[in-house]
């Protein structure tokens, strides 16, 4: 670990990694003259030793992380809702795992898992910024061409959601935390752009229906809705933080908003505002190499397709009110799974 950190540090690299339900990302931002060196280092790290001693240290780090997240009500209610929504579907599994699963995991099991899942045909090298394409390709061929492919298929079936309800109590809490999850479209569906705009209209942190009907009227401090596109499936996720006394009133408003959108659709003014917000965020994010890198990687991972920023801009601009209304009617926003977490 010390040697790896020193190798990154001497180039001034900003580096890290993160894991979602479906992907693990290792990334670094460096000056152009160090790109090949850092790429070589990442390639070397893709065949880790995973020594027992190092693995045991990292297990303790993960257990500390689990303990930290358990003190965050928004994480607990969201994680519980996701598990309840997906049930036995793979997307319902916790990214962090549990203390018991971490304690029972051996370095040997991790080495076997890494060898099976992190196969070359299940990896992707993405680069954004100032670089020479031919040199990166040459390095990749020289360093990785001997890697052996593996069978890496997995369950990517769509899932309609459990449509269940759960109440959790925690004595130290003063606020009620609510999470709703509803079926949405997968990352491969062309309606994903309409889904993003729908979430902006209903649950953006400013100027949305949730904002004006719930937050602005002081029924809740937070009321947001996000679209999570995954491989073969997707969810709309709503998170609300309010007083326990307002919980029932807030849910009445949420159901009314969902019903109104399902029956009447959206207004032209709402669509224009949502498009402008989404387009601004897209362009600003992609002006930074790291922002462009993530979009580049996700598009290739889910679509096996290179999409320019202009491609996404055109797709967003093309969305119509009718397309959003058809999407809402197809998915039924009111058929949600819900978890309440509040004071005991």
């Amino acid at each position: 670990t010390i040697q790896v950190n020193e190798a990154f540090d001497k180039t001034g690299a900003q580096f890290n990694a993160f894991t979602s339900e479906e992907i693990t990302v290792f990334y670094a931002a460096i000056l152009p003259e160090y790109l090949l060196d850092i790429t070589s280092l990442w390639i070397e790290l893709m065949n880790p030793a995973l020594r027992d001693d190092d693995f045991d240290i990292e297990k303790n780090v993960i257990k500390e992380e689990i303990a930290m997240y358990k003190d965050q009500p928004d994480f607990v209610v969201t994680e519980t809702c996701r598990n309840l929504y997906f049930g036995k579907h793979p997307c319902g599994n916790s990214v962090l795992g549990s203390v018991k699963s971490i304690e029972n995991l051996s370095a040997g099991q991790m080495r076997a898992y890494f060898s099976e899942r992190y196969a070359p045909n299940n990896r992707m090298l993405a680069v954004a910024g100032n670089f020479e394409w031919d040199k990166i390709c040459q390095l990749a061929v020289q360093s990785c061409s001997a890697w052996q492919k593996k069978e890496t298929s997995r369950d990517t079936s769509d899932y309609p959601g459990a449509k269940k309800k759960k109440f959790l109590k925690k004595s130290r809490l003063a606020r009620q935390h609510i999470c709703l999850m509803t079926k949405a479209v997968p990352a491969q569906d062309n309606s994903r752009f309409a889904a993003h705009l729908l979430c902006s209209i209903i649950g953006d942190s400013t100027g949305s229906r949730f904002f004006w009907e719930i937050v602005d009227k002081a029924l809740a401090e937070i009321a947001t809705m996000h679209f999570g596109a995954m491989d073969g499936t997707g969810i709309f996720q709503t998170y609300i933080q309010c007083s326990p006394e307002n919980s029932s009133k807030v849910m009445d408003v949420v159901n009314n908003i969902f019903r109104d959108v399902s029956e009447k659709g959206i207004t032209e003014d709402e669509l224009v505002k949502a498009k402008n917000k989404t387009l601004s965020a897209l362009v600003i994010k992609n002006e930074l190499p790291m922002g462009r890198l993530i979009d580049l990687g996700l598009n290739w991972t889910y679509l096996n397709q290179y999409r320019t920023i202009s491609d996404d801009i055109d797709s967003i601009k093309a969305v119509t009110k009718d397309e959003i209304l058809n999407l809402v009617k197809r998915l039924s926003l009111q058929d949600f799974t819900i978890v309440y977490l509040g004071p005991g």
Side-chain angles (χ1 to χ4, degrees), residues 171-198:
S171 58
R172 291 180 295 166
L173 295 180
R175 314 304 289 164
Q176 184 90 322
H177 301 264
I178 307 170
C179 184
L180 289 69
M181 289 190 183
T182 311
K183 177 178 167 56
V185 295
Q188 295 85 359
D189 195 309
N190 288 331
S191 296
R192 64 188 183 277
F193 297 101
H196 277 292
L197 293 173
L198 176 64

Side-chain angles (χ1 to χ4, degrees), residues 1 24 26 64 71 82 105 114-115 191 276:
T1 302
T24 301
F26 304 89
E64 288 297 319
D71 283 337
R82 189 181 190 93
L105 185 64
F114 194 94
S115 174
S191 296
N276 287 337

Side-chain angles (χ1 to χ4, degrees), residues 85 180-184 234-236 331-337:
Y85 176 93
L180 289 69
M181 289 190 183
T182 311
K183 177 178 167 56
I235 55 170
F236 290 125
L331 297 176
S332 186
L333 294 175
Q334 289 174 283
D335 290 337
F336 50 73
T337 295

Side-chain angles (χ1 to χ4, degrees), residues 20-21 66 75 79 82-83 90-98 101:
S20 72
E21 282 76 15
I66 292 172
F75 174 84
E79 184 94 338
R82 189 181 190 93
N83 180 261
C91 286
N93 295 329
S94 170
V95 175
L96 279 173
S98 64
S101 69

Side-chain angles (χ1 to χ4, degrees), residues 81-335:
C81 192
R82 189 181 190 93
N83 180 261
L84 186 64
Y85 176 93
F86 280 109
K88 294 183 179 180
H89 188 279
C91 286
N93 295 329
S94 170
V95 175
L96 279 173
S98 64
V99 172
K100 183 178 180 180
S101 69
I102 298 300
E103 288 177 341
N104 291 339
L105 185 64
S106 69
Q109 288 174 315
M110 180 55 74
R111 284 191 288 268
Y113 177 82
F114 194 94
S115 174
E116 176 187 344
R117 298 304 308 172
Y118 288 73
N121 48 306
N122 206 29
R123 292 174 179 167
M124 177 191 54
L125 171 63
V127 186
N130 181 9
F131 67 95
E132 296 182 54
W133 173 252
D134 290 339
K135 288 186 177 181
I136 283 290
C137 290
Q138 184 181 11
L139 175 62
V141 170
Q142 289 175 346
S143 305
C144 310
S145 58
W147 291 358
Q148 298 298 309
K149 292 182 178 181
K150 298 277 183 77
E151 171 56 46
T152 60
S153 61
R154 60 189 179 86
D155 180 9
T156 58
S157 59
D158 196 4
Y159 194 72
K163 304 178 184 67
K164 292 181 178 180
K165 182 185 293 187
K166 190 170 187 176
F167 295 88
L168 300 174
K169 292 183 178 181
K170 198 169 185 179
S171 58
R172 291 180 295 166
L173 295 180
R175 314 304 289 164
Q176 184 90 322
H177 301 264
I178 307 170
C179 184
L180 289 69
M181 289 190 183
T182 311
K183 177 178 167 56
V185 295
Q188 295 85 359
D189 195 309
N190 288 331
S191 296
R192 64 188 183 277
F193 297 101
H196 277 292
L197 293 173
L198 176 64
C199 282
S200 179
I201 291 166
I202 293 179
D204 192 273
S205 58
T206 58
S208 65
R209 294 198 184 191
F210 278 0
F211 176 81
W212 292 118
E213 296 299 320
I214 298 174
V215 177
D216 187 64
K217 293 182 179 180
L219 294 177
E221 301 85 47
I222 302 172
T224 58
M225 181 175 172
H226 299 283
F227 168 50
M230 292 167 282
D231 199 354
T233 192
I235 55 170
F236 290 125
Q237 176 180 306
T238 295
Y239 170 69
I240 298 165
Q241 179 184 306
C242 63
S243 69
E245 295 77 19
N246 282 342
S247 177
S248 178
K249 189 181 296 184
V250 165
M251 285 310 304
D252 286 342
V253 175
V254 168
N255 277 303
N256 287 337
I257 290 173
F258 285 168
R259 187 181 304 110
D260 188 66
V261 171
S262 299
E263 293 175 357
K264 302 176 184 177
I266 60 169
T267 67
E268 188 64 36
D269 183 59
E270 285 178 321
L271 181 59
V272 170
K273 288 178 179 177
K275 284 184 177 181
N276 287 337
K277 285 183 180 180
T278 305
L279 290 170
S280 294
L282 173 68
V283 173
I284 290 171
K285 180 180 73 170
N286 279 274
E287 284 185 346
L288 300 173
M290 189 62 198
R292 180 63 189 140
L293 184 69
I294 295 299
D295 278 1
L296 176 69
L298 290 178
N299 283 332
W300 196 264
T301 298
Y302 288 124
L303 307 174
N304 198 27
Q305 182 182 107
Y306 173 75
R307 288 184 62 89
T308 66
I309 302 170
S310 296
D311 290 334
D312 286 346
I313 288 173
D314 291 342
S315 295
I316 292 167
K317 287 183 175 180
V319 175
T320 65
K321 291 194 303 178
D322 286 343
E323 185 179 351
I324 291 179
L325 180 59
N326 291 336
L327 178 70
V328 173
K329 289 184 178 299
R330 174 157 60 105
L331 297 176
S332 186
L333 294 175
Q334 289 174 283
D335 290 337

